[in-house]
Amino acid sequence: MSAVWFVFAAFVPTAICIYPFQNTSLPWNDRVDDLVNRLTVDEIVGQLSHGGLSPKAGPTPPIDRLGIKPYSWNTECLGGDSEAGNATSFPQSIGMAATFSREVIFAVAEATSIEVRAKYNNYSSSGEYGTHRGISCFSPVVNIMRHPLWGRNQETYGEDPYLSGQLAGSFVTGLQGDDPRYVRASAGCKHFDVHNGPENIPVSRFSFDAIVSERDWRTTFLPQFKACIDAGTFNLMCSYNKINGIPACANQKLLTSIAREEMGFTGYFISDQGAVENIISAHKYFNNSVDTAAGCLNAGLNLELSNSIDNNVFTYLGDALNAGKIDKSTLYERAKPLFYTRMRLGEFDPAEMDPYSKLDLSVVQSEEHRSISLDAALRSFVLLRNDGVLPLKTLDLNVALVGPMADNPSQQFGDYSADMESEFTTTPLSSLKSVFSQVTHESGCVDNKCAFYYRGRVKKAVESADLAVVFLGTGNDVESEGNDRANMELPGFQAQLLYDVVEFTQGSVVLFLFNAGPVNITFAKYHPRISAIVECFFPAQATGDAVKALLSNSPIAGSNPGGRLPFTWPASLNDVPPITNYSMVNRTYRYFEGVPLYPFGYGLSFSAFAYNGITLNQSIHVGDNLTVSVTVKNLGPYDGDEVTQAYPQWLNASVLTPHLQLVGFERNSLRVGEQRQVQFTVTSSQMAVYVEDKGFIVEPGPMRIYVGGQQPNQETHIDSNVLHGCFTIVGQSKLIGQYI
């Protein structure tokens, strides 16, 4: 457990208005100005240098004379309240992205922040402060997934900037709450920016220089951060890497020119853990702490998150001031967003004014939150293949559950998930062992790396089974932060295990996959003996119950799979440029030139859906929005969810454009026979193209838009139809700006 601070000093009650910053009738900025201007230089330095790990680099030191308590800026909320004791765990982000549902992401973020706040109330009431004890979250992660081997693919919302931005916006608003005055827990979007691998193969993330074109930067790597800012995030975390030769946390163009001046960000920047030290040790951009502290502060950094060390770089800010390398006014300005955030979190107001101060530990692992976890897991599952065996028509079966993920609870959880609680965690084995008339279990491997394989045991388990359900995958043992994969193959002997199950069993074979980055499953996609494939990602505590519900198509909502792939699944690593190459050429569905094994936006259902009646204007003026609507119908035979997607296509643009670009999505639950009109508004900015040295411009000319349950014209596709319509933009070209 991380070290914590216990504080027993007598603090000035904030209910007593001694200073103007405690006066709740004053505007926020007036209160912040009053507080910050009362601090000494040493006190300011103490606040800006203690965003890191306790006990040495965090929490921030108290300022007893003003009644200011310690504060921990270091809290992780990606899949629940991470590494902070009991908490409900939710599916990892890549699975959340597969839901294609703003509502699911909002519900998960809201439940997470309720627990984070409740635990903070409990910790702070006893004077306990430290790592993962606060209410300022380093979540969500909105970096783009652009290479299958990146170890942190699991933390992202997939490969599309629009999808990522929309889901991130829902996470931010769900996390922060809807009180007009107070914030339940503050969000922080990371890692800013152009930070999408590698972690450690072939080079270290700590020294990597991401060389990116202005076009790719502004069309792929920045839009989702703009969406976070528009949603009201309080924090952006600058990343480890250099961008075009300049470390992100010392990059004035990134932190000030782009984020603050162009995007309108008013919150605080915090470094990734140890990133400021890396500027010296790994990047060798500066050679001493004073220059590094000055460079980062002047670039726009507000707060250093460091490892637990005595003298991190920002502790030298006083020396930088004395040397004339920073201005006192800049130093003090950098503290203001920090105290503004703490004020909005209610720290300096009477507790009775803050509705979130009343949350207590009874909300942790509540029945409602466990239900949200199960619902999110079910809606994240993507059905990749099904010959009709699913849902199972009978449970009176002799079933073999095989593979290293059949009963491997720790590997069901992604990075930065809530701590596993055995009481509330189900595995496929624990949930299925009493469902069928007979169940045999054999993992076949000691762990997911599957370096040792017990072929004879697998043969014995499956040879008399009516149904063999195979559970394979990666888990954090194979792909995670700091841990890229070397190839796309299933780990160790896992592929051999699958081959052997197909050879040894006479019954049907169903494959469940637990992974973030794509793996090589070409054999499974095409072999006639494998009846179904389900991509599960990392579903967390409700894994087993979700698998059980899907297999039997239980009455639980979401049991009929409706998830969609949030990334392009390449057939081979040969189809993908090297991870160190940051050009978007031949990357993601927007620019990919090959034939994927499975395309972005793909996912089957137990039901069939049909589209008809597309309507849109045939002509719009430059600067106008386009409204397009279709009707979708569930043809049966089961109630289910359908994800409707809209993709425009530029037919005569003057510059390079994506092949297609997602501009709208909506997930609807439809009963058998039910039909519903789905309407999208395509904004003028979404029709803009990026022109070098100018920005995004709406050009006159023809466009086409596709609407359906998938991308159009894919070799691997679902049975439902995709509608399209054409329209023309008329008038003179119009500059939208640097962002869409």
Side-chain angles (χ1 to χ4, degrees), residues 722-737:
V722 177
L723 304 178
H724 73 273
C726 293
F727 62 100
T728 302
I729 303 173
V730 298
Q732 298 297 314
S733 296
K734 179 179 179 180
L735 177 65
I736 297 295

Side-chain angles (χ1 to χ4, degrees), residues 622 652-655 687-689 691 697-701 729 731 733-734:
V622 166
N652 192 30
S654 66
V655 295
M687 294 177 254
V689 298
V691 179
I697 294 177
V698 180
E699 297 181 336
I729 303 173
S733 296
K734 179 179 179 180

Side-chain angles (χ1 to χ4, degrees), residues 204 206-208 242 277-285:
S204 169
F206 299 129
S207 58
F208 181 68
K242 291 195 290 280
E277 276 75 24
N278 287 343
I279 292 173
I280 303 170
S281 61
H283 293 301
K284 304 188 187 305
Y285 190 77

Side-chain angles (χ1 to χ4, degrees), residues 215-502:
R215 173 184 298 280
D216 286 340
W217 199 356
R218 292 184 181 273
T219 59
T220 296
F221 299 107
L222 284 170
Q224 60 276 20
F225 283 99
K226 179 64 163 61
C228 272
I229 292 169
D230 291 344
T233 186
F234 278 74
N235 160 235
L236 294 177
M237 175 184 283
C238 54
S239 50
Y240 287 119
N241 54 290
K242 291 195 290 280
I243 302 171
N244 296 334
I246 304 174
C249 293
N251 195 315
Q252 188 170 25
K253 176 180 177 179
L254 176 69
L255 305 187
T256 298
S257 298
I258 290 177
R260 295 206 184 278
E261 296 172 3
E262 295 179 12
M263 291 182 169
F265 179 58
T266 59
Y268 65 94
F269 286 105
I270 188 170
S271 71
D272 206 339
Q273 186 172 310
V276 176
E277 276 75 24
N278 287 343
I279 292 173
I280 303 170
S281 61
H283 293 301
K284 304 188 187 305
Y285 190 77
F286 296 111
N287 62 11
N288 63 81
S289 293
V290 173
D291 286 342
T292 305
C296 291
L297 189 86
N298 288 330
L301 187 63
N302 300 86
L303 184 63
E304 182 182 359
L305 166 63
S306 73
N307 297 304
S308 186
I309 56 179
D310 287 317
N311 296 301
N312 62 33
V313 168
F314 261 27
T315 61
Y316 290 87
L317 283 170
D319 295 326
L321 178 64
N322 292 334
K325 295 178 182 293
I326 60 173
D327 294 331
K328 184 177 179 181
S329 60
T330 302
L331 181 68
Y332 275 64
E333 283 299 315
R334 294 292 182 263
K336 290 181 179 180
L338 304 178
F339 282 105
Y340 174 76
T341 301
R342 292 171 68 172
M343 283 188 181
R344 292 295 307 278
L345 290 164
E347 181 179 342
F348 300 105
D349 290 2
E352 58 268 21
M353 292 183 63
D354 182 358
Y356 304 129
S357 69
K358 301 172 181 63
L359 291 169
D360 60 34
L361 296 181
S362 64
V363 301
V364 177
Q365 283 284 14
S366 66
E367 183 176 350
E368 178 184 4
H369 290 180
R370 296 197 305 273
S371 177
I372 292 171
S373 180
L374 174 59
D375 180 72
L378 277 167
R379 295 186 195 276
S380 72
F381 288 177
V382 180
L383 184 63
L384 298 177
R385 180 182 182 184
N386 187 26
D387 67 3
V389 70
L390 297 181
L392 298 176
K393 311 307 183 290
T394 178
L395 301 179
D396 185 18
L397 297 169
N398 178 1
V399 176
L401 308 177
V402 296
M405 285 299 296
D407 191 37
N408 195 352
S410 67
Q411 297 302 299
Q412 298 171 179
F413 294 75
D415 266 353
Y416 298 110
S417 178
D419 295 348
M420 185 182 75
E421 291 190 70
S422 299
E423 178 184 358
F424 302 112
T425 300
T426 60
T427 68
L429 176 63
S430 70
S431 292
L432 295 173
K433 62 185 179 183
S434 60
V435 169
F436 302 103
S437 56
Q438 184 176 340
V439 171
T440 303
H441 167 240
E442 175 52 56
S443 66
C445 311
V446 174
D447 55 29
N448 280 8
K449 293 181 180 180
C450 204
F452 301 97
Y453 170 49
Y454 303 103
R455 189 168 188 256
R457 296 182 188 177
V458 169
K459 178 181 180 180
K460 181 178 180 181
V462 304
E463 58 187 356
S464 62
D466 302 316
L467 172 69
V469 188
V470 185
F471 301 92
L472 304 178
T474 56
N476 281 343
D477 284 351
V478 176
E479 55 177 333
S480 58
E481 180 176 6
N483 184 23
D484 295 322
R485 289 184 295 150
N487 55 61
M488 274 181 57
E489 302 307 310
L490 284 163
F493 286 96
Q494 286 194 32
Q496 185 62 51
L497 186 155
L498 182 61
Y499 302 153
D500 289 343
V501 169
V502 170

Side-chain angles (χ1 to χ4, degrees), residues 98 101 209 241 423 707:
S101 171
D209 189 2
N241 54 290
E423 178 184 358
V707 183

Side-chain angles (χ1 to χ4, degrees), residues 32-240:
V32 170
D33 288 346
D34 177 74
L35 189 160
V36 171
N37 289 334
R38 292 180 184 279
L39 302 182
T40 67
V41 167
D42 286 346
E43 287 169 339
I44 291 283
V45 171
Q47 297 297 307
L48 272 56
S49 61
H50 283 78
L53 297 183
S54 55
K56 294 180 179 180
T60 59
I63 305 172
D64 294 350
R65 65 185 181 84
L66 297 178
I68 298 174
K69 300 178 183 180
Y71 188 76
S72 174
W73 294 102
N74 185 354
T75 295
E76 299 284 358
C77 310
L78 196 63
D81 188 13
S82 175
E83 299 177 23
N86 295 347
T88 309
S89 65
F90 301 97
Q92 181 58 296
S93 296
I94 193 65
M96 297 296 294
T99 69
F100 272 67
S101 171
R102 300 171 183 86
E103 295 75 19
V104 170
I105 275 67
F106 182 95
V108 166
E110 182 177 52
T112 295
S113 71
I114 286 171
E115 296 192 7
V116 167
R117 170 63 81 144
K119 291 163 70 175
Y120 166 80
N121 292 343
N122 182 65
Y123 289 134
S124 59
S125 67
S126 59
E128 186 176 345
Y129 301 89
T131 301
H132 300 165
R133 297 293 194 272
I135 42 176
S136 291
C137 296
F138 297 160
S139 312
V141 175
V142 295
N143 300 110
I144 291 300
M145 178 178 174
R146 57 169 201 104
H147 195 279
L149 302 185
W150 185 33
R152 302 189 79 169
N153 282 328
Q154 59 170 290
E155 299 175 45
T156 76
Y157 290 134
E159 73 181 30
D160 183 70
Y162 176 75
L163 176 66
S164 298
Q166 290 291 298
L167 299 184
S170 292
F171 189 98
V172 169
T173 54
L175 194 79
Q176 295 185 166
D178 59 3
D179 187 84
R181 180 177 178 86
Y182 296 106
V183 174
R184 187 168 49 227
S186 61
C189 298
K190 61 181 186 181
H191 307 81
F192 196 58
D193 189 27
V194 201
H195 180 76
N196 312 76
E199 292 293 294
N200 64 327
I201 300 175
V203 297
S204 169
R205 59 179 173 162
F206 299 129
S207 58
F208 181 68
D209 189 2
I211 305 300
V212 62
S213 70
E214 198 73 15
R215 173 184 298 280
D216 286 340
W217 199 356
R218 292 184 181 273
T219 59
T220 296
F221 299 107
L222 284 170
Q224 60 276 20
F225 283 99
K226 179 64 163 61
C228 272
I229 292 169
D230 291 344
T233 186
F234 278 74
N235 160 235
L236 294 177
M237 175 184 283
C238 54
S239 50
Y240 287 119

